[in-house]
Amino acid sequence: MAGGGRVKVGIIGSQFEAEIHAESFRILPDEAEVVAVASPTPGNAERLAKRYGIPRVFTDYRRMLAERDIEMITIAAPNHLHARMTIEAAEAGKHVVCEKPLCMTLEEADEMIETCRRRGVLLLYAEELYFTPKYVKAKRMADEGAFGKVYLVKQCEKHFGPHASWFWDVDRSGGGVFMDMGCHGIAFCYWFLGRPKVKSVLCHMGTYVHGDKTRGEDDSIAIIEFENGAKGVVEDSWARRGGMEDRIEVYGEGGVTYADLHMGNALPTYSEYGYGYAVEKAPTTKGWTWPVFEELWNYGFPQEMHHFARCVRGKETPLVTGEDGRVVQEVLYAGYRSAGIGARVDLPFRPAGVRKPIDLWFAAREGRA
Amino acid sequence: MAGGGRVKVGIIGSQFEAEIHAESFRILPDEAEVVAVASPTPGNAERLAKRYGIPRVFTDYRRMLAERDIEMITIAAPNHLHARMTIEAAEAGKHVVCEKPLCMTLEEADEMIETCRRRGVLLLYAEELYFTPKYVKAKRMADEGAFGKVYLVKQCEKHFGPHASWFWDVDRSGGGVFMDMGCHGIAFCYWFLGRPKVKSVLCHMGTYVHGDKTRGEDDSIAIIEFENGAKGVVEDSWARRGGMEDRIEVYGEGGVTYADLHMGNALPTYSEYGYGYAVEKAPTTKGWTWPVFEELWNYGFPQEMHHFARCVRGKETPLVTGEDGRVVQEVLYAGYRSAGIGARVDLPFRPAGVRKPIDLWFAAREGRA
Amino acid sequence: MAGGGRVKVGIIGSQFEAEIHAESFRILPDEAEVVAVASPTPGNAERLAKRYGIPRVFTDYRRMLAERDIEMITIAAPNHLHARMTIEAAEAGKHVVCEKPLCMTLEEADEMIETCRRRGVLLLYAEELYFTPKYVKAKRMADEGAFGKVYLVKQCEKHFGPHASWFWDVDRSGGGVFMDMGCHGIAFCYWFLGRPKVKSVLCHMGTYVHGDKTRGEDDSIAIIEFENGAKGVVEDSWARRGGMEDRIEVYGEGGVTYADLHMGNALPTYSEYGYGYAVEKAPTTKGWTWPVFEELWNYGFPQEMHHFARCVRGKETPLVTGEDGRVVQEVLYAGYRSAGIGARVDLPFRPAGVRKPIDLWFAAREGRA
Amino acid sequence: MAGGGRVKVGIIGSQFEAEIHAESFRILPDEAEVVAVASPTPGNAERLAKRYGIPRVFTDYRRMLAERDIEMITIAAPNHLHARMTIEAAEAGKHVVCEKPLCMTLEEADEMIETCRRRGVLLLYAEELYFTPKYVKAKRMADEGAFGKVYLVKQCEKHFGPHASWFWDVDRSGGGVFMDMGCHGIAFCYWFLGRPKVKSVLCHMGTYVHGDKTRGEDDSIAIIEFENGAKGVVEDSWARRGGMEDRIEVYGEGGVTYADLHMGNALPTYSEYGYGYAVEKAPTTKGWTWPVFEELWNYGFPQEMHHFARCVRGKETPLVTGEDGRVVQEVLYAGYRSAGIGARVDLPFRPAGVRKPIDLWFAAREGRA
C-alpha cells in the first residue's frame, strides 16, 4: 500500500452515515480522499458519488475491497453487517473504520479485533464523541484537575427516532435506542473517566411511544459503576420531540460542568417563512427553532476521520479502537440483561450464544433467563 | 377553635426551615399570622421571634401546644421528631404542617395519619414543589395536553450538602440525600403524573464525597415505575459544587418541557466586589454567580403556607397531605432496599420493624437482607 | 374617606390593562378590593366585572367618580385621556393610579401633579418595572455595590405590535413604540441610577414594518446621558416577531448583570398539540415556545398595586409618582425631537404648545423645526 | 511567484494577533504554511517561531519582504503601521492580509488599495466575523429568507480592555474601543445586509472607566443607517467585566435570531481548583466560568486564513478586501465626528487632513469643529 499522499478511502453505505463520512472528508481534505463508494441498492451509491465527486461506484462492496489503491474502508451499514464487512476488509488488507455500535455479539467483536490484528490493519471505532470539540474541552478541564476527583459523568442523547428504517428492525440493529445511542454514552463515560474497568450495569428501558413500529426499546437509562469508584449515567430516547438533544454533565468533588450541543450552542431563532436547515431531525424551520451551525464539526466527525487518516499514515496513534467497541458491547449486553431482570449485572459478563444484545432483555422478561 | 380572622400559627423549630416558614407567612400575611415559636436551645427561638415580631416564645413545644388560640402548628424539626410532634399536636387539636420527609417509618406515617383523622385535624405535608410556580406551569401545560401522554418525568435537586448538622447523622435524619431531597422528587413525579400507583423502584446511591462526615449517601438516582406506564427519574446530590440546582424535565409522546429554578431563572452576574445574597448555598457572591430573585416565592413556600391556612379555614381543599407523605415514605424504603440489593423492588413494600429507611441499604449491603 | 379596611378601587377601562389591574388586585387581595369598573363601550365593563366579581359597573366614569366610598381610581384608558381623567378623579377626591405614559404633554403633567397636590390625593404612576422582581434584584445588587460605579444601564422591550387599535393612532397614543414602551425604559434607567438629572437625549427611530397601519415609529433606540456621568440605552420595537421580549443589562466598572423576563425565565417547551397560554403576544403554543409562569407577578403588577393601596393607607411611601412620569415625559419630548433633527437634545427641554410628543419628530423631519 | 504547493506566508508581528495567525495556519494547514515571522523586539519573533516551528525569523520586516518565495504577508502590527507595511509588501509583490482596522486615514486606505491594485496583489482585510461559523449561519438563514426583510442588525463586542499596551495610546491605535472593536461591528452589519451604501452614522461614546490609562473612549454605541432602509447598531466596550462578550441580533419583519459566541456557546463550569484556560480575557478559571472550546475556530480565524490562501491560489474569490476596510474607515470617521458634535453625520464623509479618526471626536468636543 502506498505510504504517501492522501489516504484513499472507500465508503460502504450511501445513506445518512455514509454522507456524514463523505462530507467529513470534504471538510478536512488534506489527509484523505474518498475514491470509492459501495451500496447494494442501484442508484444510491451513484447519488452520493455525484454529490461528492467520488470517482468509483460499486453495488458490491467486495469488488470495492479488491481495489488495490484503497487503503481505508469506512463502514456505514446496518449493525448486523459490521462484523462481516470488517473482517472481509481486513482480509483484503484495508484499514477499517467501523461505525458504532461495533457489532452484534462479543464473539464478533473478538473476531473483528483478532482479524485486524493478524492482518496488521487498524480497526478504528467511529465514536465521534471522543472528538466532539465541546466535550473534548470538558475532558481537558477534568484532566487539568478542574473538578478534582470526578464521581459522576452523564451523557444523554435524544430525538424522535432514527433516520433509517432498519433501526426499527431489531434483527438488523440488534436493539433499540440503547444499542443505537446508548453505545455513545457508554463509550463516552468510559473514555472520560480514563478507561477504568466497568464493574456493573444497572439499566431500565421501555417501549413507550413507538410500539407500533418496533419491538426495540425507545427510552433507556443506564447506570454504570466503574472500578475507580465513579459512575456513569447514560440516558437515551427515540421518543423526544422537537429535534436532537445531546448533552453531558460532569460532577467532581471540586466542580461541575455542563455541555449541550444543541440548545446550548444554537441560535435561538424565530421565522415566519422557514429557511434551509435547522438541525438533524428538526421537525420544521418555522416558528421558534434551534438551528445549529457547522453541525458535523461540532459533533467532531471531520476531526475524527482526519485523525483516522493520520493514524493510517502513522502520524497519530488511534484514540479509539475496536477494543473500546468491545467494552461498549459488553456493557450493552449487561444493560439489556439488567433491564430484563430488573437488577444490577456485574462484569465480566460474557454469555455465549447471544445472537443480538436485545435478546438478553427479551429472554429475561419472558422468564427464560 | 376560632372560625374567623387569620389563622394563628405556632412554629416548632428556629433554624433554616423555621425561618422559611416565618418568612412565608410574612410574604403572604392575609390568611395567617405566626403567634408563637418553640425551640429547645435557649436563645434560638428568641432570635427568630425578634426578627419576625412573633410575640410568644417557648423552649418546650408542648407548652406551645397548650396555647388555646393556636390553630396550626408547623414542624421544622429534625426528621426523627416529626411523628411524635405531629401526634402530640394533633392530640392537642392543632392542624399540622409537617416538613418533608413525613417521618422515619411507615408505622409512624400510619399513626400520624390516623391520629389526625381521629382528632379531626388536617395533616398537611409540606412539599413545596406542588406550589413552585414554574413547575406548576409545567404541570398545567401537561394537563392541557401539551405533551400528549407523558411517559417520563424527571426531577433533580443538587447542592454541596445540608445546612444543619443533624442531616449528616442518619439516626436523626433517617438517611442521606435520597431521604432529604429524593423525597421531593418522588412526591413531584407522583403528583405530576396524577398520583398513579407506584409499581417499582430501582435505585443507585453512594457516598462519594462526604464519607468523612456521614454514613449517609451523598448522591442518588432513582427510577420509579408507575402503574400508568410512565416512569419518574429522581436525581439528588449533596456533592454538587457551585450552589443550588433544582430542575425538572417532562417528556411526552407529543412534546417536552424543561424548567430550571436556578441557572434557568437567575441573573447571570459578575461582581468584583460581591453583594448581599446570591442563592441558597452559593459559595460566594464574587466572580460569576447565579443570583436568584424572590427565592421563596419561586420555590412556592409562601403560596404553600397560604394554601394551608386557607385549608384550615375551609376555603380550599388540601393539595398535599400525609397520604402523599406516606407514599413517599414507602418509595424511600423501596429505594434504599433497591440500592442495597442492586435490584428493582416492587410495591407494596412494607417491611416491618424498620427503624429508619437507610437501614434497608445498610442491611442489604451487609448481606443481612 | 374611610381610613380602615381594604382600599376600595374603581378601574377606568375594560381592556388589556384594565384586566391586568383587576387580576393584580385578585392576586394580592389583602390591601384593596375592586368595587367598580367604568368603560364607555356597552358590555365591556360588564364582561370584566363578571369575570372578577366586581359589583358596580359604569359606562360613564364620571358617575363612578361620584361614588363616595371609592378611594382610589386606576386609569387604563388611551393616553390622550389620562390627564383629563386624572384631574377629574383628583377633583373628586380620589387617589389616582395612572398607567404609563403619564399623559400627552408637559403642561398636562404639570396640571395633573398640581391638581393632585392641591386636592391632597396621591398621583401614583403605574411603572411596574420598579416592582419587577428580577429587576428589583438587579437594582438591589447594584445598590449593594456589586458593580461598583454603574456607567451603563440598558432596558429593551420588544414585540410585534400593541394589543389595542388606539395605539396605532398617534392622536390617541401620542406616539409609537417609543411613547408606548420607551417610557418604561426611560423610567427604568432613571430609577435604577438613583434619579440623577437627565442631561441629554440622543434618539433614532423609524417605521420599518407597520407603515401601513400607523404614522408612528415601530422601532426606536434612545441614548440618555445623566448628570452623574452614566448613560441609559433604551431599545423598543413593535416589529419583533415571536412574542414578548423584556430585558435589562447593567454595566459597572466592577461588574455586570443581565436579566431577561422571557427567554431567560421561561420553560423551553415543544408541543405538537398546543396548550392554554404561553406568554403575552406569543403567536402560537405549538412547536417550540417560551411559556412564562406567573406572568403578572414576574412583571410586578400585583406588587405594584399592593404597594399603591398601602400608600393610600399611609403604610408605605410612594415609590413612583407623577413626578417620575413628568421626567419621562420630558425625555419623550427630547427623544422625538432628537430623532427628528438627528442630533442630541439637551435638557431642560420644554417647548410650549406641543400637542403630542411625536409631533416633535414629524415637525423636525419636515424641516419646520 | 510559484503557482503550486502551499502558499508561503510571512507574519509581521509576534504578539496576540500574530499568534492567532500562526495558530490558524496550524489548524488548517493544507493551503498555506508560515515560513517566516518578523518582529522588531529581539526575542519576540524567535519565541513565536519556536512555538510554531517557523523556520525564518527577522527583526526587520523589510528583510522578510525581500524573501523571494514568500507569497503572502499577514500584518499583525499596531494600527498606525498598517498602511506603510501594506504598501511596502505590495511593492515587494506580496499579497497582503491586513488586520483590522485597515489603517488610520482614508488617504492611507486609498493608497493601500491603489498600490495593491497596481502591483497586482490582493489586499485581504482580516475581518474574521465574515467567517465566524455561528454568524455565517445567521447570515445564511437571512439570505434564505428566514426573517423576511431585515431592518435591524446588531453586533456587540465587550471586554475589560485590550491585551497590548499600544491600544491605549491613541497615536498608535487611532482611537479607543470604537476603532478597535467597532470596526468589527461596522463591517459585520455592512456585510450582513449585503453591502448597501451607508447613509449616516449617529454615535455616542465616552471614557467611563479607563480614563487613567487612555484618552480614548472605552464604551461606544453607533447607529448606522443604510441606503436599503435598514439600520445597524454597534456596541463596544473596554469596560465590561468578566471576560469576552461577542453577540449579534438580527431582526426582520418575518423573524429574529440571536447568536452569542460566549455565554451562548460555552460550558457553564464551576471549579474550586481552576484549570488551564477559559476564554480570552477571562479574569480567572476558579468559581463559575464560561469556558469556550475551539476558540479560534469559533471566531473563524482558521477558516479566514484558509480562504485567503485559496484566494492567492485563485481557488476562491476574496470575500473581504481593502474596499470593505475603507468603508469601515469612513464610518469610523463619521462615528467619531458624530460623537463629538452629538449629531448624525451623513456619508460620504471624507474630511481631508485627518491624522487619526479619534481626532474628529477630540476636535468637535473642543469646539474646533
Side-chain angles (χ1 to χ4, degrees):
Chain A
M1 235 176 276
R6 298 196 291 169
V7 173
K8 287 190 167 60
V9 177
I11 297 173
I12 304 180
S14 62
Q15 302 296 313
F16 186 78
E17 276 293 343
E19 179 144 8
I20 288 175
H21 293 190
E23 178 69 14
S24 294
F25 289 113
R26 196 196 59 72
I27 290 172
L28 284 181
D30 58 310
E31 297 281 358
E33 60 182 320
V34 181
V35 298
V37 56
S39 177
T41 313
N44 281 0
E46 276 81 0
R47 268 192 291 280
L48 192 75
K50 194 167 171 196
R51 202 151 51 240
Y52 287 94
I54 303 170
R56 291 173 248 171
V57 174
F58 300 87
T59 46
D60 182 350
Y61 71 86
R62 290 181 185 84
R63 297 200 43 199
M64 185 172 76
L65 296 180
E67 297 284 299
R68 297 286 303 274
D69 61 334
I70 293 178
E71 302 168 75
M72 184 166 88
I73 294 294
T74 75
I75 298 172
N79 300 340
H80 70 297
L81 303 173
H82 288 186
R84 189 205 321 162
M85 289 170 171
T86 296
I87 290 161
E88 290 176 5
E91 294 292 1
K94 313 304 189 195
H95 300 287
V96 181
V97 174
C98 183
E99 265 303 329
K100 49 95 250 176
L102 187 64
C103 50
M104 299 292 266
T105 70
L106 282 169
E107 289 84 352
E108 284 183 356
D110 290 342
E111 191 182 349
M112 291 163 80
I113 291 168
E114 172 55 22
T115 307
C116 288
R117 191 200 56 72
R118 182 170 43 78
R119 292 291 300 158
V121 296
L122 300 172
L123 175 49
L124 302 155
Y125 179 55
E127 177 47 70
E128 78 274 6
L129 295 189
Y130 291 25
F131 303 87
T132 301
K134 203 168 191 171
Y135 294 172
V136 168
K137 175 68 182 179
K139 177 152 170 58
R140 187 172 307 141
M141 291 191 291
D143 292 347
E144 289 164 356
F147 317 120
K149 178 164 168 45
V150 172
Y151 64 87
L152 172 59
V153 180
K154 295 172 60 181
Q155 196 266 349
C156 135
E157 184 175 349
K158 302 194 172 189
H159 55 64
F160 202 64
H163 42 84
S165 59
W166 63 263
F167 286 92
W168 302 111
D169 175 2
V170 295
D171 290 323
R172 288 193 282 167
S173 61
V177 71
F178 182 56
M179 179 95 176
D180 176 33
M181 310 204 303
C183 62
H184 285 305
I186 297 163
F188 179 80
C189 296
Y190 176 63
W191 166 74
F192 197 96
L193 292 166
R195 293 189 169 89
K197 269 197 187 170
V198 176
K199 264 179 66 184
S200 71
V201 181
L202 191 61
C203 192
H204 186 277
M205 59 182 60
T207 311
Y208 293 93
V209 173
H210 298 298
D212 56 333
K213 287 203 204 70
T214 186
R215 297 168 62 214
E217 76 286 358
D218 58 18
D219 196 88
S220 68
I221 180 164
I223 301 165
I224 305 169
E225 289 185 310
F226 293 93
E227 288 216 335
N228 70 350
K231 70 178 161 189
V233 172
V234 175
E235 282 182 75
D236 295 283
S237 190
W238 280 346
R240 190 260 196 190
R241 289 279 192 177
M244 282 291 294
E245 178 169 53
D246 198 318
R247 291 191 277 154
I248 62 166
E249 302 176 13
V250 178
Y251 297 82
E253 47 77 17
V256 62
T257 195
Y258 303 85
D260 180 330
L261 302 187
H262 295 92
M263 283 176 162
N265 234 42
L267 301 86
T269 296
Y270 182 87
S271 173
E272 279 294 297
Y273 310 121
Y275 55 93
Y277 178 81
V279 62
E280 188 189 332
K281 301 184 176 78
T284 176
T285 61
K286 291 188 185 177
W288 281 104
T289 54
W290 299 90
V292 294
F293 59 96
E294 296 208 343
E295 194 173 32
L296 295 194
W297 185 271
N298 277 310
Y299 284 128
F301 287 110
Q303 302 95 314
E304 176 190 53
M305 292 297 169
H306 192 254
H307 163 71
F308 287 158
R310 290 175 64 82
C311 292
V312 165
R313 277 288 166 276
K315 296 173 179 174
E316 295 183 14
T317 303
L319 294 173
V320 55
T321 69
E323 269 80 3
D324 293 304
R326 183 164 55 184
V327 170
V328 170
Q329 204 69 18
E330 188 173 350
V331 175
L332 288 173
Y333 269 31
Y336 278 109
R337 168 80 179 163
S338 169
I341 61 171
R344 189 181 62 218
V345 170
D346 294 324
L347 269 62
F349 180 68
R350 292 203 48 141
V354 172
R355 296 191 52 184
K356 55 182 184 290
I358 200 172
D359 284 345
L360 291 159
W361 186 43
F362 293 157
R365 285 195 304 175
E366 291 158 20
R368 288 183 283 107
Chain B
M1 234 175 276
R6 296 194 295 167
V7 174
K8 288 191 167 59
V9 178
I11 296 173
I12 304 180
S14 61
Q15 302 297 312
F16 186 79
E17 275 293 343
E19 179 144 8
I20 288 176
H21 292 190
E23 177 69 15
S24 293
F25 288 114
R26 196 196 59 71
I27 290 171
L28 284 181
D30 58 310
E31 296 281 358
E33 59 182 321
V34 181
V35 299
V37 56
S39 177
T41 313
N44 280 1
E46 277 81 358
R47 269 191 291 279
L48 192 75
K50 194 167 173 196
R51 202 151 51 240
Y52 287 94
I54 302 170
R56 292 173 248 172
V57 175
F58 300 88
T59 45
D60 182 350
Y61 72 86
R62 289 181 187 83
R63 299 200 41 199
M64 185 171 75
L65 296 181
E67 298 284 300
R68 296 286 302 274
D69 62 333
I70 293 178
E71 301 168 75
M72 184 167 89
I73 295 293
T74 75
I75 299 173
N79 300 340
H80 71 297
L81 304 172
H82 288 187
R84 188 204 322 162
M85 289 170 170
T86 294
I87 290 161
E88 290 176 5
E91 293 292 2
K94 313 304 190 195
H95 300 286
V96 182
V97 174
C98 183
E99 265 303 329
K100 50 96 241 173
L102 188 63
C103 50
M104 299 291 267
T105 70
L106 282 169
E107 289 84 351
E108 284 183 356
D110 291 342
E111 191 182 350
M112 292 163 80
I113 290 169
E114 174 53 23
T115 307
C116 289
R117 191 201 55 74
R118 183 170 41 79
R119 293 290 301 158
V121 296
L122 299 172
L123 175 49
L124 303 156
Y125 179 56
E127 177 47 70
E128 79 273 6
L129 294 189
Y130 291 24
F131 302 88
T132 302
K134 203 167 191 171
Y135 295 172
V136 168
K137 175 67 181 179
K139 177 151 170 59
R140 187 171 308 142
M141 291 191 290
D143 291 347
E144 289 164 356
F147 317 120
K149 178 164 170 45
V150 172
Y151 64 86
L152 171 60
V153 180
K154 295 172 61 179
Q155 196 266 349
C156 136
E157 184 175 349
K158 303 194 171 189
H159 54 64
F160 202 65
H163 41 84
S165 59
W166 64 262
F167 285 93
W168 301 111
D169 174 2
V170 295
D171 289 324
R172 288 193 282 169
S173 61
V177 72
F178 182 56
M179 179 94 176
D180 176 33
M181 309 203 304
C183 63
H184 285 305
I186 296 162
F188 179 80
C189 295
Y190 176 64
W191 166 73
F192 198 96
L193 292 166
R195 292 189 169 88
K197 269 197 187 170
V198 176
K199 264 178 63 184
S200 71
V201 180
L202 191 60
C203 192
H204 186 277
M205 58 181 60
T207 311
Y208 295 93
V209 172
H210 297 298
D212 55 333
K213 288 204 204 70
T214 186
R215 297 167 62 214
E217 76 286 357
D218 58 17
D219 196 87
S220 68
I221 180 164
I223 301 165
I224 305 168
E225 289 184 310
F226 294 93
E227 288 216 336
N228 70 350
K231 70 178 162 189
V233 172
V234 176
E235 283 183 74
D236 294 283
S237 190
W238 280 346
R240 189 261 196 189
R241 290 278 192 177
M244 282 290 294
E245 179 168 53
D246 198 318
R247 291 191 275 155
I248 62 166
E249 302 175 14
V250 178
Y251 297 82
E253 48 77 17
V256 62
T257 194
Y258 303 86
D260 180 331
L261 302 187
H262 296 93
M263 283 177 162
N265 235 40
L267 301 86
T269 296
Y270 182 89
S271 173
E272 280 293 298
Y273 310 122
Y275 54 94
Y277 179 81
V279 63
E280 188 189 333
K281 302 187 175 75
T284 177
T285 61
K286 292 189 184 176
W288 280 104
T289 55
W290 299 90
V292 293
F293 58 97
E294 296 208 342
E295 193 173 33
L296 296 193
W297 186 270
N298 277 309
Y299 283 128
F301 287 111
Q303 303 93 315
E304 176 190 54
M305 293 298 170
H306 192 256
H307 164 71
F308 287 158
R310 289 176 64 82
C311 291
V312 165
R313 278 287 165 276
K315 296 173 179 173
E316 296 184 14
T317 302
L319 294 172
V320 55
T321 69
E323 270 80 4
D324 294 304
R326 184 164 54 183
V327 170
V328 170
Q329 205 69 18
E330 189 173 350
V331 175
L332 288 173
Y333 270 31
Y336 279 108
R337 167 80 180 162
S338 169
I341 61 171
R344 190 180 63 219
V345 170
D346 294 325
L347 269 62
F349 179 68
R350 292 202 49 140
V354 172
R355 297 191 52 185
K356 55 183 183 291
I358 200 172
D359 285 345
L360 291 159
W361 186 43
F362 293 157
R365 285 195 304 176
E366 291 159 19
R368 288 183 284 106
Chain C
M1 237 175 275
R6 297 196 294 168
V7 174
K8 288 192 165 60
V9 177
I11 296 173
I12 305 180
S14 61
Q15 302 297 312
F16 186 79
E17 276 292 343
E19 179 145 9
I20 288 175
H21 293 191
E23 177 69 15
S24 294
F25 289 113
R26 195 195 61 71
I27 291 172
L28 284 181
D30 59 309
E31 296 280 359
E33 60 182 321
V34 181
V35 298
V37 57
S39 177
T41 312
N44 280 0
E46 274 82 359
R47 268 190 292 277
L48 192 74
K50 195 166 173 197
R51 201 150 52 240
Y52 287 93
I54 303 170
R56 292 172 247 172
V57 174
F58 301 87
T59 46
D60 182 351
Y61 71 86
R62 288 182 187 84
R63 296 201 42 199
M64 183 171 77
L65 296 181
E67 298 284 300
R68 295 288 301 273
D69 62 332
I70 293 178
E71 302 168 76
M72 185 167 86
I73 295 293
T74 75
I75 299 172
N79 300 339
H80 72 295
L81 303 173
H82 288 186
R84 191 204 319 161
M85 288 170 170
T86 296
I87 290 161
E88 290 176 4
E91 293 291 2
K94 313 303 190 196
H95 300 287
V96 182
V97 174
C98 183
E99 265 303 328
K100 51 95 249 174
L102 188 63
C103 51
M104 299 292 266
T105 70
L106 282 169
E107 288 85 352
E108 284 183 356
D110 291 343
E111 192 182 348
M112 292 162 80
I113 292 168
E114 173 53 23
T115 306
C116 289
R117 191 200 56 74
R118 184 169 43 78
R119 292 291 300 158
V121 296
L122 299 172
L123 175 49
L124 302 156
Y125 179 55
E127 176 47 69
E128 79 274 6
L129 295 189
Y130 291 25
F131 302 88
T132 302
K134 203 167 192 173
Y135 294 173
V136 168
K137 175 68 181 180
K139 177 154 171 56
R140 186 171 307 141
M141 291 191 290
D143 292 347
E144 288 165 356
F147 317 120
K149 181 167 168 41
V150 172
Y151 65 85
L152 171 60
V153 180
K154 294 171 61 180
Q155 195 267 349
C156 135
E157 185 175 349
K158 303 193 172 189
H159 56 64
F160 203 64
H163 42 86
S165 60
W166 63 262
F167 285 92
W168 302 111
D169 174 2
V170 295
D171 290 324
R172 289 194 282 168
S173 62
V177 73
F178 182 55
M179 180 94 176
D180 177 34
M181 309 203 303
C183 63
H184 284 306
I186 297 163
F188 179 80
C189 295
Y190 176 63
W191 166 73
F192 197 96
L193 291 166
R195 294 191 169 88
K197 268 196 186 171
V198 177
K199 263 178 66 183
S200 72
V201 181
L202 190 62
C203 192
H204 186 277
M205 59 181 58
T207 311
Y208 293 92
V209 172
H210 297 298
D212 56 333
K213 286 205 205 70
T214 185
R215 296 167 64 213
E217 76 286 357
D218 59 17
D219 195 88
S220 68
I221 180 165
I223 301 164
I224 305 169
E225 290 184 311
F226 292 93
E227 287 216 337
N228 70 349
K231 68 179 162 188
V233 172
V234 176
E235 283 183 73
D236 294 283
S237 189
W238 280 347
R240 191 262 194 188
R241 289 280 191 176
M244 281 291 295
E245 178 169 53
D246 198 318
R247 291 191 277 155
I248 63 165
E249 301 175 13
V250 178
Y251 297 83
E253 48 77 17
V256 62
T257 194
Y258 303 85
D260 181 330
L261 302 187
H262 297 91
M263 283 178 163
N265 235 42
L267 301 86
T269 296
Y270 182 88
S271 173
E272 279 294 297
Y273 311 121
Y275 54 94
Y277 178 81
V279 62
E280 187 189 333
K281 299 182 177 80
T284 178
T285 61
K286 292 189 184 176
W288 280 103
T289 54
W290 299 92
V292 294
F293 59 96
E294 296 210 343
E295 192 172 33
L296 295 193
W297 186 271
N298 277 310
Y299 283 130
F301 286 111
Q303 302 94 316
E304 176 190 55
M305 292 297 169
H306 193 254
H307 163 71
F308 287 158
R310 290 175 63 82
C311 291
V312 164
R313 277 291 167 272
K315 297 173 179 173
E316 295 183 15
T317 302
L319 294 172
V320 54
T321 69
E323 271 80 5
D324 293 304
R326 183 163 56 184
V327 169
V328 170
Q329 205 68 19
E330 189 173 349
V331 174
L332 289 173
Y333 269 32
Y336 278 109
R337 167 79 180 164
S338 170
I341 62 172
R344 188 182 62 219
V345 170
D346 295 325
L347 267 63
F349 179 68
R350 293 205 45 143
V354 172
R355 296 190 53 184
K356 58 182 181 292
I358 201 173
D359 285 345
L360 290 159
W361 185 44
F362 293 157
R365 285 196 304 177
E366 292 160 18
R368 287 184 285 103
Chain D
M1 236 177 275
R6 297 197 293 168
V7 174
K8 288 191 165 61
V9 177
I11 296 173
I12 304 180
S14 61
Q15 302 296 314
F16 185 79
E17 276 292 344
E19 179 144 8
I20 288 176
H21 292 190
E23 177 69 14
S24 294
F25 288 114
R26 195 195 60 72
I27 291 172
L28 284 181
D30 58 310
E31 296 281 359
E33 59 182 322
V34 181
V35 298
V37 55
S39 177
T41 312
N44 281 0
E46 274 82 359
R47 268 190 292 278
L48 191 75
K50 195 166 171 196
R51 200 150 52 240
Y52 287 94
I54 303 170
R56 290 172 251 172
V57 175
F58 300 87
T59 47
D60 182 350
Y61 72 87
R62 288 181 187 85
R63 297 201 42 199
M64 184 171 76
L65 296 181
E67 298 284 299
R68 296 287 303 272
D69 62 333
I70 293 177
E71 300 168 76
M72 185 167 87
I73 295 294
T74 75
I75 298 173
N79 300 339
H80 71 296
L81 303 173
H82 287 186
R84 191 204 318 161
M85 288 169 170
T86 296
I87 290 162
E88 290 176 4
E91 293 292 2
K94 313 304 190 196
H95 301 286
V96 181
V97 174
C98 183
E99 264 304 328
K100 52 93 247 176
L102 188 63
C103 50
M104 299 291 267
T105 71
L106 283 169
E107 289 85 351
E108 283 183 357
D110 290 343
E111 192 181 348
M112 291 163 81
I113 291 168
E114 173 53 23
T115 306
C116 289
R117 190 201 55 74
R118 184 171 40 78
R119 292 290 301 159
V121 296
L122 299 172
L123 175 49
L124 302 156
Y125 179 55
E127 177 47 69
E128 79 274 6
L129 295 189
Y130 291 25
F131 302 88
T132 301
K134 202 167 193 172
Y135 294 172
V136 168
K137 175 67 181 180
K139 178 154 170 57
R140 187 171 308 141
M141 291 191 290
D143 292 348
E144 288 165 357
F147 316 120
K149 179 166 169 43
V150 173
Y151 65 86
L152 171 60
V153 181
K154 296 172 61 180
Q155 195 267 349
C156 135
E157 185 176 348
K158 302 193 172 189
H159 55 63
F160 203 64
H163 42 85
S165 60
W166 64 261
F167 285 93
W168 301 110
D169 174 2
V170 295
D171 290 325
R172 289 193 282 167
S173 61
V177 72
F178 181 55
M179 180 94 176
D180 176 33
M181 309 202 304
C183 63
H184 284 305
I186 297 163
F188 179 80
C189 295
Y190 176 63
W191 166 73
F192 197 97
L193 293 166
R195 294 190 168 88
K197 269 197 186 172
V198 177
K199 264 179 65 182
S200 71
V201 181
L202 191 62
C203 192
H204 186 277
M205 58 182 59
T207 311
Y208 293 91
V209 171
H210 297 299
D212 56 334
K213 286 204 204 72
T214 184
R215 297 167 62 214
E217 76 286 358
D218 58 18
D219 195 87
S220 68
I221 179 165
I223 301 164
I224 305 169
E225 289 184 312
F226 292 93
E227 287 216 337
N228 71 348
K231 68 179 161 187
V233 171
V234 176
E235 283 184 73
D236 295 283
S237 190
W238 280 347
R240 191 261 194 189
R241 289 280 191 177
M244 282 289 296
E245 178 168 53
D246 197 319
R247 290 192 277 155
I248 63 165
E249 301 175 14
V250 178
Y251 298 83
E253 47 78 17
V256 63
T257 196
Y258 303 85
D260 180 330
L261 303 187
H262 297 91
M263 282 178 163
N265 235 42
L267 301 85
T269 296
Y270 182 88
S271 173
E272 279 293 298
Y273 310 121
Y275 55 94
Y277 178 81
V279 63
E280 187 190 333
K281 300 184 178 77
T284 178
T285 60
K286 292 188 184 177
W288 280 104
T289 54
W290 299 92
V292 293
F293 58 97
E294 297 210 341
E295 192 172 33
L296 295 193
W297 186 271
N298 276 310
Y299 283 130
F301 287 111
Q303 303 93 317
E304 175 191 55
M305 292 297 169
H306 192 255
H307 164 71
F308 288 159
R310 290 175 63 83
C311 290
V312 164
R313 277 291 166 273
K315 296 172 179 174
E316 295 183 14
T317 302
L319 293 173
V320 54
T321 68
E323 271 80 5
D324 293 304
R326 183 162 59 184
V327 169
V328 171
Q329 205 70 18
E330 190 173 348
V331 175
L332 288 173
Y333 269 32
Y336 279 109
R337 168 80 180 163
S338 170
I341 61 172
R344 189 182 63 220
V345 170
D346 294 324
L347 267 64
F349 178 68
R350 293 204 46 143
V354 172
R355 297 191 52 186
K356 58 183 181 292
I358 201 173
D359 285 345
L360 291 159
W361 187 42
F362 293 158
R365 285 196 303 177
E366 292 159 17
R368 287 184 286 104

